[in-house]
Amino acid sequence: MSLPSRINHKRMAVVALAAGVLLGGCSDIYYDRRDTIALGGSDAVASNRVIHTVDPWPRHSENHNLAFNGERSQTAVERYQHNKVIEPVSVTTSSAMSATQQAAAAAAAQATAASAAAPVK
């Protein structure tokens, strides 16, 4: 290799090293390790408030008094356990479903309602 070629390689290496050092200051590593709520905020009070919160769940999330019909739920569970299905009744206004099918579906619904579960104590 000739002398100008070596100087050219050295110059390229120095320029690459200088560019690496200068662009290394633009690194985002420092910003990834900070204690803030949002990227643009440096709100230490809000950060400490969140860190020291004992129970972050809303108050109404602990309400165990859910409104439901226990008898209806119990009959549904019993139907599931005995593999009994209530045939759905057509809710359309068309005359495609005959009266005998409607009567059979109504009788099946009454039969399952009559065989309700024992009362809950």
Side-chain angles (χ1 to χ4, degrees):
M1 293 185 117
S2 65
L3 187 60
S5 176
R6 287 184 186 173
I7 293 174
N8 207 8
H9 284 308
K10 286 183 181 179
R11 184 175 290 164
M12 293 286 274
V14 169
V15 169
L17 181 66
V21 169
L22 289 175
L23 292 176
C26 299
S27 174
D28 199 26
I29 294 173
Y30 174 76
Y31 293 114
D32 288 340
R33 297 186 178 100
R34 61 178 182 232
D35 291 333
T36 59
I37 301 296
L39 293 175
S42 55
D43 194 357
V45 175
S47 176
N48 287 335
R49 186 178 297 153
V50 170
I51 290 172
H52 295 284
T53 300
V54 176
D55 190 11
W57 291 95
R59 289 185 198 140
H60 63 274
S61 67
E62 294 182 13
N63 182 11
H64 298 292
N65 298 325
L66 304 175
F68 63 93
N69 188 345
E71 293 176 7
R72 190 171 180 187
S73 300
Q74 186 176 3
T75 56
V77 169
E78 287 177 0
R79 279 195 313 269
Y80 176 76
Q81 289 174 346
H82 299 296
N83 200 17
K84 294 182 180 178
V85 178
I86 297 176
E87 292 295 327
V89 179
S90 177
V91 293
T92 62
T93 57
S94 68
S95 62
M97 189 174 190
S98 67
T100 58
Q101 289 175 337
Q102 288 179 352
Q110 286 178 355
T112 55
S115 64
V120 179
K121 293 181 182 181

